[in-house]
Amino acid sequence: MKLIRFGLAGQEKPGLQLEDTRIDVSEFGEDYTEDFFENDGLNRLESWLETNQETCPIVPNDTRLGPPVKRPSKLVCVGLNYAMHAKESGMEVPKEPVLFFKSTTAIVGPNDNLIIPKNSTKTDWEAELAIVIGKKASYVEKADALDYVAGYVLHNDYSEREFQIERGGQWVKGKSCDTFAPLGPFIATKDEIQDANNLNLWLKLNGETMQNSSTSDFVFNIETVVSYISQFMTLLPGDIISTGTPFGVGLGLTPQRYLKPGDVVELGIEGLGSSKQHVKAWQ
């Protein structure tokens, strides 16, 4: 299944992306929350669809898409998880996953505007594959890690590089500005993706390809990342893990290049659709 949420910001309803249409599954009675994933929501929804799909309303194609998961308890990110990106950032390939948090208040819909923060001069792009956790995970063995994955979603891990790197402290303040975490267009359940460790991902800025790589270049694969993070914190159903970005970010260019009002960022991942953000100035 491909889970969507649609409607005005803060008023989204649950739906599904089918082959060539979207349907409203509000009558199922649950949104895509922690409780939904924790209580076998995916299987229950699939069973409900067997007798109810034909009566589900069609969602018009021009309807806004929201984040496809509602209020995850946390958004955990893995830094420098592609060797080429570590090199372009002037950093060593890590021996263990580099972890940081991104505030959940940064989460927006896949095609919502990207707002350059107040006083920002170095807002950057990062196309990423994100994991959606399906059940409570603590001290998970690597061999069992995929059992805890509900699905996958496209994420643009926007980053303000001055806030992140030049102003001391941890990375989180350069990662958590409003609109810095567009998610979607949909969550593809695990069965939809044959091998999440071998997916093409790309990003274009104003039509120019900036990133074009594959998750096969991961330093730490999906299983390693889920297991590793669970050694340090409990992952709850609906939590998001973003797995890092490949080379091609503005920070790594010569000269460096950052976003400005009027820019358009498009990105996508094989099997997970694409998204587009128009860049606006804070006001």
Side-chain angles (χ1 to χ4, degrees), residues 37 42 130-134 148-153 187-191 193 272:
F37 289 104
L42 290 174
I131 305 161
V132 182
I133 295 298
Y148 293 82
V149 173
Y152 303 96
V153 65
I187 295 170
T189 52
K190 188 169 51 179
D191 58 293
I193 303 297
L272 295 176

Side-chain angles (χ1 to χ4, degrees), residues 65 110-111 154 184-186 202 266-269 272-277:
L65 293 178
N111 303 309
L154 173 64
F186 52 77
W202 56 269
E266 300 174 83
L267 62 152
I269 299 180
L272 295 176
S274 62
S275 66
K276 178 189 291 188
Q277 296 93 48

Side-chain angles (χ1 to χ4, degrees), residues 138-213:
S138 180
Y139 299 112
V140 171
E141 296 295 329
K142 183 177 176 181
D144 301 325
L146 291 183
D147 293 340
Y148 293 82
V149 173
Y152 303 96
V153 65
L154 173 64
H155 174 219
N156 196 341
D157 175 24
Y158 282 112
S159 308
E160 212 298 342
R161 301 302 189 186
E162 181 190 11
F163 299 175
Q164 175 191 357
I165 299 170
E166 300 174 30
R167 297 183 61 175
Q170 298 183 347
W171 289 0
V172 64
K173 63 179 175 283
K175 297 284 188 171
S176 295
C177 304
D178 291 350
T179 74
F180 267 30
L183 293 175
F186 52 77
I187 295 170
T189 52
K190 188 169 51 179
D191 58 293
E192 296 270 352
I193 303 297
Q194 183 173 357
D195 182 4
N197 292 310
N198 187 23
L199 298 175
N200 174 253
L201 68 168
W202 56 269
L203 182 144
K204 295 180 180 180
L205 174 59
N206 302 326
E208 177 185 357
T209 298
M210 309 305 294
Q211 295 184 283
N212 188 9
S213 188

Side-chain angles (χ1 to χ4, degrees), residues 84-121:
M84 288 289 288
H85 175 54
K87 181 178 179 180
E88 73 172 350
S89 301
M91 303 178 187
E92 293 184 4
V93 175
K95 295 179 174 60
E96 295 189 31
V98 174
L99 303 182
F100 61 90
F101 282 102
K102 200 173 180 84
S103 172
T104 55
T105 56
I107 295 174
V108 291
N111 303 309
D112 289 346
N113 293 334
L114 181 278
I115 307 300
I116 295 179
K118 183 179 181 181
N119 301 319
S120 166
T121 59

Side-chain angles (χ1 to χ4, degrees), residues 236-247:
L236 297 178
D239 280 356
I240 306 292
I241 300 172
S242 201
T243 58
T245 199
F247 69 93

Side-chain angles (χ1 to χ4, degrees), residues 4 20 38 40 51 73 88 103 111 131 165 169 211 235 250 252 255 273:
I4 62 168
D20 55 359
E38 185 172 30
D40 199 32
T51 55
S73 83
E88 73 172 350
S103 172
N111 303 309
I131 305 161
I165 299 170
Q211 295 184 283
L235 294 166

Side-chain angles (χ1 to χ4, degrees), residues 52-67:
N52 292 278
Q53 180 171 325
E54 295 304 317
T55 61
C56 289
I58 300 297
V59 178
N61 288 331
D62 60 354
T63 303
R64 172 187 174 270
L65 293 178

